[in-house]
Amino acid sequence: MRAEPQSGRARWRSGKAVAGMSALALGAAALGVAVPAYAAEGCEVEYTVVNEWNSGFTANVSVTNLGDPVDGWELEWDFPGDQQVTNGWNADLSQSGQHVTASGSGWNGSIGTDGTAEFGFNGSGGGDAPGEFSLNGVTCDGGTGDPDPDPEPTPDPTEDPDPDPDPDPEPGERVDNPYEGADLYVNPVWSEKAADEPGGDAIADEPTALWLDRIGAIEGNDSPTTGDMGLRDHLDEAVAQAGDRPVNIQVVVYNLPGRDCAALASNGELGQEEIGRYKTEYIDVIADIMDDEEYSDLRISTIIEPDSLPNLVTNVGSRDTATENCDTMLENGNYVEGVAYALSELGDIPNVYNYVDAGHHGWIGWDTNLGPSVEVFMEAATTGGATVDDVHGFAVNTANYSALTEPHFDVDDTVNGQQVRQSDWVDWNQYVDEQTFAQALRQEAVSQGFNSDIGMLIDTSRNGWGGPERPTEPSSSNDLNTFIEDSRVDRRFNPGNWCNQAGAGLGERPTVAPASGIDAYSWIKPPGESDGSSELIDNDEGKGFDEMCDPDYEGNVRNGNSPSGALPNAPIAGHWFSAQFQELLANAHPSV
Ligand code: BGC
């Protein structure tokens, strides 16, 4: 069983254009944009068509400011033909005839000297690149008009030093995006279960991640996720699946001491203080296997410890969401120490690409959570032997249900004079979807010192929200809450709900480099594996019963005291849940 089509995407990349022509420093004041008087001005634009289909295309645009810092920017261009912007992200785009204006706002609103702002859009018509761009009225030609331009400008930490790296790196050298130019590993254990379900054949060849959710899973102990194949067997199978291109196998590292401190459904086998066992019986063993010469041609993407570090921000201390277990894990430092150890040991292996789990927008999308979460990620990335070079990127929405995009509204929209952010559903969050959240988190991480070429993964296995309940157009209501309720595709009772959500569907199929800063949409949570039992079920895996998985539960402060929205009759976390698989298939978006 091989994963074929999803890996072709990256090869459609085309039409890359770096704009540049005559240099002249022109005043930007005419546009009403605030820039320092007598500012040195200049810019460079990279316009990349990352995808093209019959009637449309997706373009990513990266604008580098070579002059003095700008606070507020407008990038303008003329399309060469009848292209029309249909929707965009990370910038406000407007079009009149062939003329397009993109302006940055919010976190993407200012660009420092040699800094870069990135945004993207979908368009109709062909993907031919525009010939010329101007930033705040200044033609982007790669110069500044500065009479004494610095011949060797100091590199900017926020700028990708090598945005288009050699796809065939030297042995031992990591590629920029390990999903690009690779086939993704199809886990035969999951595949077989999916194929056994009615209609499951249609997706059984999709690549899903392998969860090492306990020490025994490394050797293969008939756990539901790894089956009777141990890590070595899966790596051998990945080698066997390789055709002309390298295989990327995705492995979730998930066994911290005191695991899942804000919930009970995925508590694990290691007690809160068992950091020693985590290191020697778990990480060391995994690292030893992955480091085997036999596997050196694989690309191994690890997703490190879902949900752990964000819990140290939102579920501790004086917050009313705090839990005793998360307080303990913050105090004893074992989450940070464990993640740091995993990063440094696995990061020593040249073909391992570590992605640190970073929650999802409905959890850390508020400014009070986002910056502080990245600070904790940085702490983990600089503790023990770990360095930022051990972090290849971050994964969001792992095993969650947050919508990839909300097609009928943006966070900056207003309804009858009221901001979308004020609605009960959005509740002042800065984001309404995972894509803009992932891109912003990436930017925040880079600004706090992570490498500028980090990439993001978004788990799209269960955030499709298709089926008959999916709104097909924006509501016409003038009442903000009614508008949002009737327009949003995420049909949960509350974005804090996470267990076996009724009405959810499969999301975007795994896709390589789908948008700026995103390495891949990936199926990290294997569809059909439960999030937790809907009632207490005795087990020897350390899993508890969490009321959030009980369909009759009316909620708590972490989900706005809303109904749990969970499906009934669920088995314990990680076990096969046929009814959920059926529902995910039926509500898939895009449909299967
Ligand atoms: C469970 C794990 C399982 C994983 C993937 C988690 O919720 O706790 O045991 O491997 O989901 O299904």
Side-chain angles (χ1 to χ4, degrees):
M1 276 162 288
R2 207 57 63 82
E4 303 287 358
Q6 80 291 339
S7 43
R9 287 283 177 100
R11 285 179 289 170
W12 302 341
R13 167 187 259 251
S14 63
K16 180 168 182 166
V18 176
M21 248 184 283
S22 63
L24 254 193
L26 299 173
L31 284 166
V33 180
V35 294
Y38 314 113
E41 288 155 5
C43 44
E44 194 170 65
V45 170
E46 201 174 291
Y47 180 98
T48 312
V49 174
V50 287
N51 202 354
E52 227 180 321
W53 55 95
N54 280 348
S55 55
F57 65 100
T58 303
N60 288 337
V61 184
S62 144
V63 50
T64 301
N65 173 23
L66 302 173
D68 289 335
V70 292
D71 185 13
W73 55 265
E74 284 188 339
L75 186 75
E76 294 173 272
W77 69 85
D78 289 324
F79 276 133
D82 60 357
Q83 294 94 336
Q84 184 74 39
V85 173
T86 50
N87 68 305
W89 47 92
N90 293 344
D92 294 326
L93 287 119
S94 60
Q95 182 169 356
S96 164
Q98 287 170 292
H99 191 75
V100 181
T101 306
S103 39
S105 60
W107 57 268
N108 211 17
S110 24
I111 324 177
T113 301
D114 292 334
T116 298
E118 293 172 350
F119 62 93
F121 64 91
N122 291 326
S124 60
D128 289 346
E132 189 177 302
F133 297 84
S134 64
L135 177 68
N136 291 352
V138 178
T139 304
C140 294
D141 59 3
T144 58
D146 185 337
D148 183 18
D150 182 351
E152 281 177 61
T154 14
D156 181 333
T158 63
E159 193 184 323
D160 185 342
D162 186 6
D164 190 15
D166 182 352
D168 297 317
E170 295 302 308
E173 197 184 302
R174 288 192 181 95
V175 293
D176 182 41
N177 180 354
Y179 288 75
E180 213 161 315
D183 289 322
L184 298 184
Y185 176 62
V186 177
N187 176 357
V189 177
W190 176 81
S191 216
E192 206 181 304
K193 283 184 283 194
D196 278 350
E197 293 286 338
D201 266 342
I203 57 157
D205 282 355
E206 291 295 345
T208 53
L210 175 74
W211 288 61
L212 297 178
D213 67 342
R214 70 199 81 172
I215 291 165
I218 305 172
E219 285 307 316
N221 60 355
D222 230 0
S223 89
T225 327
T226 52
D228 54 5
M229 294 170 73
L231 175 59
R232 230 174 233 293
D233 301 319
H234 283 283
L235 295 174
D236 288 341
E237 171 65 15
V239 170
Q241 285 184 10
D244 295 343
R245 313 194 316 155
V247 164
N248 178 333
I249 175 170
Q250 308 172 87
V251 180
V252 181
V253 173
Y254 190 50
N255 199 32
L256 274 180
R259 190 174 74 189
D260 204 15
C261 66
L264 304 170
S266 280
N267 291 163
E269 64 185 348
L270 296 181
Q272 295 174 330
E273 304 302 329
E274 291 191 281
I275 186 72
R277 289 189 66 199
Y278 179 76
K279 291 179 178 175
T280 57
E281 293 178 40
Y282 184 68
I283 296 297
D284 286 353
V285 184
I286 295 172
D288 198 48
I289 295 172
M290 289 181 172
D291 201 17
D292 196 317
E293 182 56 34
E294 278 177 60
Y295 307 129
S296 58
D297 287 339
L298 294 174
R299 298 178 185 173
I300 305 176
S301 299
T302 56
I303 292 92
I304 306 287
E305 296 294 354
D307 290 0
S308 57
L309 300 179
N311 270 325
L312 300 184
V313 175
T314 61
N315 294 321
V316 294
S318 57
R319 297 202 187 204
D320 54 5
T321 46
T323 69
E324 217 174 291
N325 286 339
C326 291
D327 275 335
T328 303
M329 298 322 296
L330 178 65
E331 274 155 34
N332 72 11
N334 284 344
Y335 275 8
V336 168
E337 188 174 337
V339 170
Y341 192 75
L343 286 175
S344 74
E345 294 305 302
L346 300 172
D348 281 348
I349 306 167
N351 55 321
V352 169
Y353 298 80
N354 288 322
Y355 292 85
V356 177
D357 187 79
H360 64 106
H361 90 276
W363 181 0
I364 61 168
W366 290 266
D367 280 349
T368 42
N369 295 343
L370 185 78
S373 294
V374 174
E375 283 167 30
V376 177
F377 305 154
M378 182 54 87
E379 190 189 345
T382 50
T383 289
T387 74
V388 290
D389 293 337
D390 294 320
V391 177
H392 203 75
F394 294 89
V396 300
N397 204 40
T398 302
N400 209 276
Y401 297 87
S402 288
L404 181 64
T405 56
E406 279 293 354
H408 306 313
F409 55 88
D410 285 330
V411 74
D412 294 329
D413 289 348
T414 55
V415 175
N416 201 13
Q418 285 187 294
Q419 296 172 50
V420 158
R421 293 190 60 223
Q422 291 170 261
S423 63
D424 292 344
W425 169 256
V426 181
D427 191 20
W428 298 103
N429 201 317
Q430 309 284 350
Y431 308 95
V432 295
D433 63 34
E434 286 307 293
Q435 182 129 307
T436 54
F437 165 73
Q439 289 169 326
L441 188 133
R442 181 186 174 283
Q443 203 107 340
E444 174 67 23
V446 171
S447 75
Q448 285 197 32
F450 282 98
N451 291 331
S452 57
D453 57 359
I454 55 172
M456 303 295 297
L457 301 181
I458 304 179
D459 186 353
T460 56
S461 66
R462 307 183 304 177
N463 67 351
W465 297 107
E469 301 298 317
R470 183 184 176 90
T472 51
E473 56 183 16
S475 159
S476 54
S477 175
N478 267 336
D479 174 71
L480 175 63
N481 282 320
T482 311
F483 174 88
I484 296 293
E485 289 311 298
D486 294 351
S487 303
R488 63 182 166 92
V489 298
D490 182 339
R491 300 310 305 164
R492 285 178 293 184
F493 287 104
N494 182 277
N497 283 354
W498 52 266
C499 197
N500 301 327
Q501 290 300 285
L506 303 166
E508 288 288 336
R509 308 304 103 87
T511 308
V512 178
S516 170
I518 313 291
D519 281 357
Y521 298 150
S522 158
W523 282 12
I524 299 175
K525 174 78 180 185
E529 293 184 8
S530 172
D531 297 314
S533 57
S534 33
E535 55 190 54
L536 180 64
I537 298 178
D538 269 347
N539 65 86
D540 58 6
E541 298 177 24
K543 306 260 168 72
F545 162 59
D546 197 296
E547 288 181 300
M548 290 291 287
C549 303
D550 172 358
D552 297 327
Y553 183 54
E554 290 297 320
N556 59 42
V557 66
R558 280 183 293 282
N559 78 335
N561 295 296
S562 315
S564 72
L567 291 169
N569 306 317
I572 64 168
H575 289 231
W576 194 253
F577 188 10
S578 169
Q580 189 188 29
F581 185 90
Q582 290 304 322
E583 182 151 316
L584 290 169
L585 260 186
N587 292 332
H589 186 92
S591 59
V592 172

